[in-house]
Amino acid sequence: MTNQNKNPFEIVASVLNVPVEYITNDSGYGISGGWDSMNHLSIFTEFETEYNISIPDENIEKHTNMEQIANFLRDEMNINW
């Protein structure tokens, strides 16, 4: 699946209402200001909407920083941006 939509960093920045430059590979749940459990779920909901995919709950819990999330989306969900 090739997708030319927003990259995951843009999606996370949008949900957290911060500039995309603030989101790095190290950004993540419980690490970055504002990235709490509710926003974590909102981020994955936005990924599902943007990329037209369904992400199993265990993957939402497992991937908690941007490096893990980007690798998961690219390698396991076959999303390209």
Side-chain angles (χ1 to χ4, degrees):
M1 170 187 239
T2 300
N3 198 313
Q4 297 302 318
N5 292 316
K6 294 179 186 175
N7 73 51
F9 292 83
E10 292 171 320
I11 293 170
V12 169
S14 176
V15 171
L16 298 179
N17 199 28
V18 298
V20 70
E21 298 81 28
Y22 287 17
I23 306 302
T24 68
N25 279 336
D26 295 327
S27 298
Y29 170 57
I31 300 167
S32 304
W35 193 330
D36 58 16
S37 59
M38 290 301 293
N39 280 332
H40 191 68
L41 291 175
S42 295
I43 287 165
F44 277 86
T45 299
E46 286 299 313
F47 291 149
E48 290 179 323
T49 301
E50 182 72 23
Y51 302 132
N52 195 29
I53 58 174
S54 180
I55 300 173
D57 289 345
E58 61 269 13
N59 287 301
I60 295 171
E61 296 169 8
K62 180 177 165 183
H63 303 293
T64 58
N65 71 35
M66 281 308 302
E67 184 174 15
Q68 294 170 346
I69 291 168
N71 289 338
F72 164 72
L73 291 171
R74 184 186 59 243
D75 299 340
E76 295 182 43
M77 301 303 292
N78 299 315
I79 302 297
N80 297 303
W81 55 88

